[in-house]
């Protein structure tokens, strides 16, 4: 049995967590060995870095922010993702490198090349087998956000606009499965489920 590394991507409120919650039940039903995880976080140290990153009190330099996301990712890859893949698990991560390219590369204007370099180092070049990109409009994204906002979500509209433009460019240049997430939750779920289960069956026959 071979592991499969799946990443859920998309802007805040695009429906990644809703998808993950339902899909996790399906994985249990099908008895597929799996691990659901998230970024920033997904490891003991990574969760501590997450608290630093999302605390609205922690105003920080953009490069500091980019390196902290990459640091959390390095720990996540080594301590959580790789060991599970080696055991043949389906690993499902909410967010990965594309988030850093969009938010730090475009949103923070650090440039996608610089962010790519630190992330190649952080991940030791481990890239997902499948990326589902949940696509919704920025207005819809803000409308869906009801709970208290974290530090990134509190950023000005131009930051979110640059991030959105970044995502638009990235989804056309990277190998992602685009899911139009403004469709009904049922359609969105079914589409995503099919992509992942097909990939799992292809590698586990
Ligand atoms: P989270 O509550 O996990 O957001 P969501 O539920 O929308 O995924 O918070 C993660 C925040 O961190 C989110 O605003 C996106 C941001 N982020 C980056 O800026 N760069 C990154 O590399 C990652 C993984 C997340």
């Amino acid at each position: 049995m071979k592991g499969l590394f799946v990443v859920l991507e998309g802007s805040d409120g695009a429906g990644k967590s809703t998808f993950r919650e339902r899909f996790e039940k399906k994985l249990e039903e099908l008895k597929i060995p799996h691990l659901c995880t998230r970024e920033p976080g997904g490891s003991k140290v990574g969760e501590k870095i997450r608290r630093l990153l999302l605390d609205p009190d922690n105003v920080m330099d953009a490069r500091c922010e980019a390196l902290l996301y990459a640091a959390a990712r390095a720990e996540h890859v080594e301590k959580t993702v790789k060991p599970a893949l080696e055991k043949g698990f389906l690993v499902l991560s909410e967010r990965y490198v594309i988030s850093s390219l969009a938010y730090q590369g475009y949103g923070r204007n650090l440039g996608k090349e610089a962010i790519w370099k630190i992330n190649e180092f952080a991940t030791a070049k481990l890239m997902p087998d499948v990326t589902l990109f949940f696509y919704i409009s920025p207005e819809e994204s803000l409308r869906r956000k009801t709970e208290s906002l974290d530090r990134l979500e509190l950023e000005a509209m131009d930051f979110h606009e640059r991030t959105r433009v970044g995502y638009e460019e990235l989804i056309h240049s990277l190998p992602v499965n685009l899911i139009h997430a403004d469709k009904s939750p049922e359609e969105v779920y079914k589409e995503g489920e099919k992509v992942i289960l097909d990939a799992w069956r292809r590698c586990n026959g």
Side-chain angles (χ1 to χ4, degrees), residues 12 16 50 54 69 73 95 99-100 103-104 150 152:
D12 298 307
K16 302 181 293 299
R50 177 186 176 89
L54 301 186
Y69 276 109
R73 183 162 297 132
R95 299 191 180 277
S99 284
S100 286
Y103 285 81
Q104 282 67 53
D150 66 40
L152 276 283

Side-chain angles (χ1 to χ4, degrees), residues 9-14 16-17 38-40 50 54 65 69-70 73 94-101 103-104 145 147 150 152-153 159-160 167:
E9 275 290 354
S11 55
D12 298 307
K16 302 181 293 299
S17 305
R38 66 164 177 189
E39 290 202 351
R50 177 186 176 89
L54 301 186
E65 180 183 289
Y69 276 109
R73 183 162 297 132
E94 284 183 55
R95 299 191 180 277
Y96 197 59
V97 175
I98 295 181
S99 284
S100 286
L101 295 171
Y103 285 81
Q104 282 67 53
K145 209 76 207 169
E147 75 259 37
D150 66 40
L152 276 283
E153 289 156 357
F159 167 78
H160 291 293
Y167 267 140

Side-chain angles (χ1 to χ4, degrees), residues 11 14 24 33 37 47 52 59 67 97 99 116 132 139 143 154 185:
S11 55
E24 194 166 10
T37 180
E47 289 293 326
L52 263 178
V59 178
L67 289 166
V97 175
S99 284
W116 183 250
L132 292 192
E139 296 77 22
R143 217 169 49 78
L154 286 166

Side-chain angles (χ1 to χ4, degrees), residues 98-164:
I98 295 181
S99 284
S100 286
L101 295 171
Y103 285 81
Q104 282 67 53
Y106 289 82
R108 297 290 188 218
N109 282 322
L110 291 175
K112 69 171 189 283
E113 293 74 19
I115 300 301
W116 183 250
K117 262 190 211 152
I118 60 172
N119 275 281
E120 270 194 315
F121 177 67
T123 60
K125 300 191 180 174
L126 177 76
M127 289 301 144
D129 300 299
V130 177
T131 300
L132 292 192
F133 189 92
F134 294 84
Y135 181 84
I136 53 165
S137 67
E139 296 77 22
E140 179 65 11
S141 163
L142 280 182
R143 217 169 49 78
R144 287 186 187 185
K145 209 76 207 169
T146 47
E147 75 259 37
S148 63
L149 302 179
D150 66 40
R151 190 176 63 86
L152 276 283
E153 289 156 357
L154 286 166
E155 278 294 333
M157 203 60 198
D158 59 343
F159 167 78
H160 291 293
E161 181 54 17
R162 284 195 301 275
T163 303
R164 187 189 68 77

Side-chain angles (χ1 to χ4, degrees), residues 185-198:
E186 184 63 21
E187 279 175 287
V188 169
Y189 175 76
K190 285 287 173 203
E191 207 177 314
E193 181 190 272
K194 185 175 184 328
V195 172
I196 303 176
L197 291 182
D198 284 353

